[in-house]
Amino acid sequence: MGGKKHGLSAKFKYCFDNFMAKGGFSIFLSLLLLFVVAFLIMGAVRYVANLAMPDKDFSEMTSYLWRTFIEIADAGNIGEDSDFNILNKAAGVITIFVGMILFSSLVAFITSQFEAKLEQLRKGKSLVIEKNHTLILGFGDRVLEIIRELIIANESEKSPAVVVLSEKEKDEMDDFFNDRIEDKKTTRIVTRSGVTSSLQVLQKVSVDTAKSIIILNDASADADDDEKELADARVLKTIMAVVACTGEDNVPPIIAEIHLENKRRLARTISDQVHTIEENSLLAKLMVQTSRTTGLAQVYDNLVGFDGCEFYYSRPKEGWNGKTYEELQFHYPTCSVLGYRTENGDVVVNPDPGTKFDESFEALILAEDDSTIKFSRKPVEVKDVNAKAAQPLDKIIESQMIIGWSEKAAVIVDEYSNYLVNGSSIDVIVRETDDSVNAQFAEIQKKHSTIKMNLIVADIHNTDTIADLKPEKYDNVIILKEDGGNAELRDSETIATLLGFRHYFKKNQFKDLKTQLISEVADSDNTEVIQEVGVKDFLISNKFVSKIYAQASEDPDVLKAYDELFKAEGSEIYIKPAKLFITDFPATMKFSEICRAALNRKETCFGIRIASEENDHTKNNGIYINPDKNTVFNITKDDLFITLAEDES
């Protein structure tokens, strides 16, 4: 079957179109070729014109070419043709017009290419040449807090970089960070715009040389399931793209924000380097723990993130030589040993003091920085504490109030019930209810039949409602933000509720009021606003989770330590009265002696809280995390020890 035959002109046009489609360099070559052709043609025209009407000044061919060149290059040279005959003047005029067209085209081309390059830079499409950088894919709610933490972590590094890739415009991201981060210290923040699941775009941000990757989710934790399903699928696609770019054997640690459990399980099957965080469960457990121990929120604030002390895994070159967990407490003068990591990656916190460390174990250490982790062959001298371990405190019946219902509410009620003794109560106050909420609540009631639970429909913004509920009879009042909607609006409502309770307590001036208000805040910037108006109750925000993301990007196995700490079973962090550990007050003790006293109760002490400094912000509200073992404290009966223990008694 014969095809249509094309003429030479059509073929030439087709080849020319393909050549021009190759881009700027092809256009430049075309203009350059056109300039040469025009130069030769106009030189020939000059020569012919001189043959027709000879001019004595044009005796050689080089004269024609030179005159042609200077007139193409600069129209001002036309004045030199004033004494020539009419034919040479006409050739000069034509040459000048050709030159103007060619040079204006060349200038326009150069200008357009320069503008295109600027536009490319503005859009963030250019190549990133970095090594050992932290790569953040996406621009979720946490990106600001994560970068703030990474800036602190990078202070001791030389020229560190954080690269952010998202579908937002580069200039929009740059303005966002410049407006909110005043001091970047040593860290460079590099932004690029593009699709995070595109292999070509990932290669441009040097994904293969990144030391770790954080993948943020487009959907918030409060979004509906359909939105989460789609956003989680995009995260999975991005993970697959990263693996495709780096190769399965060279995948850097990936910390992925995935909301739905089935998607988290799927993500972990892609690569052993993929790590996920379940935000709702983490925040719910954090709220339960901090609400049960006054001051614990501040302790976690010192632990989570890089501004203070953080977790590390370490093993001395000389090995453990059969030393026990108790003995190792005093071989690290400036750090606190909290547990160990086994060869297969399992983490154990607060083991029995007599546990011998296997040579394959790595100690879980709390330190201000990895440079401060120093194993001393000679242990710190510590006197025996002349005090018997106190008997556990009697557990009492408690009464808890939870205001609002969200995805975390069910986890909080369930988690709380694991701590409470029989006969305790939990009242949940909601503005309205539906079949889904009723079903979840009924399921938890059935699971914890010994705990009294009530689901109460009431408008908490009505002052009479607060009075009817009598919040002063509760041990804790937890105010939850609602799911969905704008973070600022949710926070505004939470703050209004919090202030309503504060006003009620202040108005009635209850004596010996022990009710503690715990508030969840979506935007961490709002915590400062609340503190400015005098509200000093503990505030839990997504800032905690963002800090954990940043820590995990430096060492993903830190997540295993947090998993252990947030479990209801096993050891957790508590702040306990000093009277449980020593009997004589006041007592002048080194911190090493305090650690010894805690070991007598099979607990690990890593800090203290001085009651007299509780309201002194300049002294971190009296909280001392991981002090030097030789630091001396004057302990009173009102002071508290911060320990890892199996229960709060």
Side-chain angles (χ1 to χ4, degrees):
M1 182 176 178
K4 181 182 178 181
K5 293 185 177 180
H6 299 281
L8 185 62
S9 175
K11 291 180 179 179
F12 174 78
K13 183 178 179 182
Y14 177 70
C15 292
F16 181 74
D17 288 344
N18 286 339
F19 178 73
M20 295 295 283
K22 291 181 179 179
F25 188 66
S26 299
I27 298 173
F28 177 76
L29 288 179
S30 299
L31 287 171
L32 194 60
L33 178 62
L34 192 60
F35 178 85
V36 172
V37 170
F39 168 66
L40 294 175
I41 289 175
M42 294 312 300
V45 169
R46 280 273 190 178
Y47 178 74
V48 172
N50 193 62
L51 288 177
M53 296 182 66
D55 194 297
K56 62 179 181 179
D57 290 337
F58 288 110
S59 57
E60 298 178 0
M61 187 65 189
T62 53
S63 300
Y64 305 128
L65 295 177
W66 174 248
R67 175 61 60 192
T68 300
F69 176 77
I70 63 174
E71 287 184 348
I72 283 180
D74 184 4
N77 290 311
I78 189 64
E80 308 231 351
D81 284 346
S82 300
D83 297 331
F84 295 157
N85 57 53
I86 188 66
L87 207 55
N88 275 301
K89 286 181 178 179
V93 170
I94 295 172
T95 302
I96 287 171
F97 275 107
V98 171
M100 290 174 64
I101 293 171
L102 288 175
F103 272 96
S104 62
S105 298
L106 190 60
V107 170
F109 166 74
I110 294 172
T111 302
S112 65
Q113 289 298 304
F114 185 70
E115 289 177 347
K117 187 62 179 177
L118 289 178
E119 181 67 12
Q120 184 185 37
L121 293 173
R122 188 186 70 80
K123 289 184 175 181
K125 304 295 183 183
S126 57
L127 179 68
V128 172
I129 303 177
E130 296 286 352
K131 288 184 178 180
N132 295 321
H133 56 290
T134 302
L135 177 59
I136 300 177
L137 303 178
F139 204 85
D141 295 338
R142 318 192 179 289
V143 66
L144 182 62
E145 296 293 350
I146 290 173
I147 289 180
R148 282 173 174 168
E149 286 301 309
L150 292 175
I151 288 172
I152 297 171
N154 291 335
E155 280 188 87
S156 59
E157 296 185 21
K158 184 179 180 181
S159 190
V162 176
V163 179
V164 181
L165 170 66
S166 84
E167 294 185 26
K168 289 183 176 291
E169 294 292 339
K170 173 179 167 56
D171 53 357
E172 182 182 352
M173 291 187 283
D174 289 339
D175 290 343
F176 178 85
F177 292 127
N178 290 334
D179 290 344
R180 290 164 177 80
I181 302 177
E182 295 181 0
D183 185 5
K184 299 181 180 68
K185 302 186 185 297
T186 61
T187 300
R188 290 174 290 107
I189 301 176
V190 181
T191 60
R192 289 294 182 269
S193 181
V195 179
T196 57
S197 58
S198 166
L199 271 64
Q200 292 80 6
V201 175
L202 288 173
Q203 289 168 350
K204 281 189 174 182
V205 293
S206 299
V207 65
D208 55 330
T209 58
K211 68 176 179 181
S212 62
I213 299 171
I214 300 173
I215 304 177
L216 299 180
N217 204 299
D218 293 337
S220 69
D222 301 327
D224 58 51
D225 286 345
D226 289 341
E227 187 178 347
K228 288 180 181 178
E229 189 85 30
L230 181 60
D232 284 355
R234 284 196 289 264
V235 172
L236 290 176
K237 185 179 178 182
T238 300
I239 294 173
M240 291 297 296
V242 170
V243 174
C245 283
T246 61
E248 293 187 13
D249 297 331
N250 299 304
V251 180
I254 299 174
I255 316 301
E257 181 184 15
I258 300 178
H259 298 301
L260 303 179
E261 179 57 33
N262 62 329
K263 294 294 192 296
R264 284 195 293 273
R265 287 197 301 268
L266 187 58
R268 289 191 285 267
T269 64
I270 297 174
S271 170
D272 293 337
Q273 292 284 51
V274 177
H275 308 270
T276 63
I277 298 174
E278 208 289 277
E279 175 191 344
N280 278 331
S281 177
L282 180 65
L283 279 177
K285 292 176 180 179
L286 184 62
M287 291 193 74
V288 170
Q289 289 189 19
T290 54
S291 68
R292 298 190 59 73
T293 306
T294 302
L296 191 56
Q298 291 171 281
V299 173
Y300 271 119
D301 198 36
N302 280 268
L303 294 180
V304 180
F306 297 100
D307 191 10
C309 294
E310 56 261 15
F311 297 128
Y312 296 94
Y313 297 102
S314 180
R315 178 174 53 233
K317 292 181 180 179
E318 57 266 42
W320 302 119
N321 296 316
K323 290 184 174 60
T324 65
Y325 178 68
E326 180 175 4
E327 292 172 329
L328 288 174
Q329 295 293 321
F330 308 104
H331 280 272
Y332 287 91
T334 60
C335 308
S336 297
V337 181
L338 304 182
Y340 60 85
R341 178 173 64 181
T342 65
E343 190 173 10
N344 62 11
D346 294 334
V347 174
V348 178
V349 298
N350 189 40
D352 185 277
T355 302
K356 285 189 177 182
F357 269 42
D358 187 273
E359 290 303 323
S360 64
F361 287 1
E362 289 180 291
L364 173 62
I365 291 178
L366 184 66
E368 188 173 346
D369 189 74
D370 55 358
S371 61
T372 65
I373 301 175
K374 308 229 182 271
F375 177 83
S376 173
R377 294 184 180 181
K378 183 179 179 182
V380 174
E381 292 185 8
V382 53
K383 296 188 299 183
D384 288 331
V385 179
N386 296 320
K388 294 181 179 180
Q391 293 298 313
L393 297 173
D394 293 330
K395 292 188 175 182
I396 60 173
I397 293 176
E398 299 177 38
S399 183
Q400 311 293 342
M401 178 191 287
I402 298 173
I403 297 173
W405 191 267
S406 64
E407 289 195 12
K408 288 186 282 294
V411 182
I412 290 174
V413 175
D414 183 44
E415 192 77 10
Y416 241 124
S417 301
N418 293 327
Y419 288 93
L420 301 179
V421 299
N422 295 349
S424 296
S425 65
I426 299 177
D427 291 337
V428 179
I429 316 300
V430 294
R431 187 160 36 185
E432 56 185 18
T433 186
D434 55 33
D435 292 341
S436 175
V437 174
N438 291 332
Q440 290 182 66
F441 192 78
E443 186 178 345
I444 299 172
Q445 273 184 314
K446 184 178 179 181
K447 181 179 177 182
H448 303 282
S449 57
T450 60
I451 307 298
K452 300 174 185 177
M453 296 185 191
N454 299 295
L455 185 63
I456 302 170
V457 179
D459 182 9
I460 204 67
H461 296 296
N462 189 321
T463 54
D464 293 334
T465 300
I466 296 179
D468 293 339
L469 291 172
K470 298 187 182 303
E472 67 275 9
K473 70 181 182 182
Y474 294 91
D475 296 288
N476 294 295
V477 174
I478 298 180
I479 303 170
L480 299 178
K481 64 180 179 65
E482 295 183 357
D483 290 336
N486 179 272
E488 185 63 33
L489 292 177
R490 297 199 308 270
D491 279 354
S492 298
E493 186 161 336
T494 300
I495 293 168
T497 303
L498 180 63
L499 291 176
F501 277 92
R502 295 284 298 200
H503 175 71
Y504 171 78
F505 290 143
K506 185 176 181 180
K507 178 182 177 182
N508 290 278
Q509 297 182 344
F510 297 103
K511 292 183 179 180
D512 301 323
L513 180 67
K514 295 182 180 180
T515 303
Q516 179 172 277
L517 292 175
I518 309 294
S519 175
E520 181 189 9
V521 180
D523 187 345
S524 61
D525 288 341
N526 287 327
T527 61
E528 299 177 7
V529 176
I530 295 174
Q531 291 168 350
E532 284 296 320
V533 297
V535 179
K536 304 187 188 310
D537 302 290
F538 294 121
L539 301 165
I540 309 299
S541 75
N542 293 339
K543 183 177 181 180
F544 282 97
V545 182
S546 300
K547 288 184 174 184
I548 291 176
Y549 271 99
Q551 268 200 354
S553 70
E554 297 292 307
D555 185 356
D557 271 3
V558 167
L559 293 176
K560 294 182 179 180
Y562 286 119
D563 287 342
E564 289 298 311
L565 293 177
F566 288 126
K567 285 182 180 177
E569 64 275 5
S571 294
E572 302 164 24
I573 299 175
Y574 293 101
I575 303 179
K576 298 188 175 185
K579 65 181 181 181
L580 291 177
F581 305 88
I582 58 178
T583 54
D584 298 329
F585 297 98
T588 300
M589 304 176 68
K590 290 183 178 180
F591 185 63
S592 59
E593 296 167 1
I594 295 173
C595 292
R596 172 72 73 190
L599 288 167
N600 290 340
R601 298 185 90 236
K602 295 188 176 181
E603 299 183 28
T604 302
C605 183
F606 62 90
I608 68 169
R609 182 172 186 176
I610 304 298
S612 61
E613 300 173 0
E614 186 175 343
N615 296 317
D616 190 343
H617 297 300
T618 62
K619 295 184 178 180
N620 197 30
N621 299 101
I623 293 176
Y624 294 83
I625 300 294
N626 188 41
D628 189 290
K629 294 291 192 305
N630 290 313
T631 304
V632 177
F633 293 97
N634 295 314
I635 307 299
T636 69
K637 63 180 180 178
D638 297 321
D639 296 332
L640 304 105
F641 295 167
I642 304 169
T643 73
L644 279 173
E646 290 193 358
D647 57 53
E648 55 198 319
S649 61

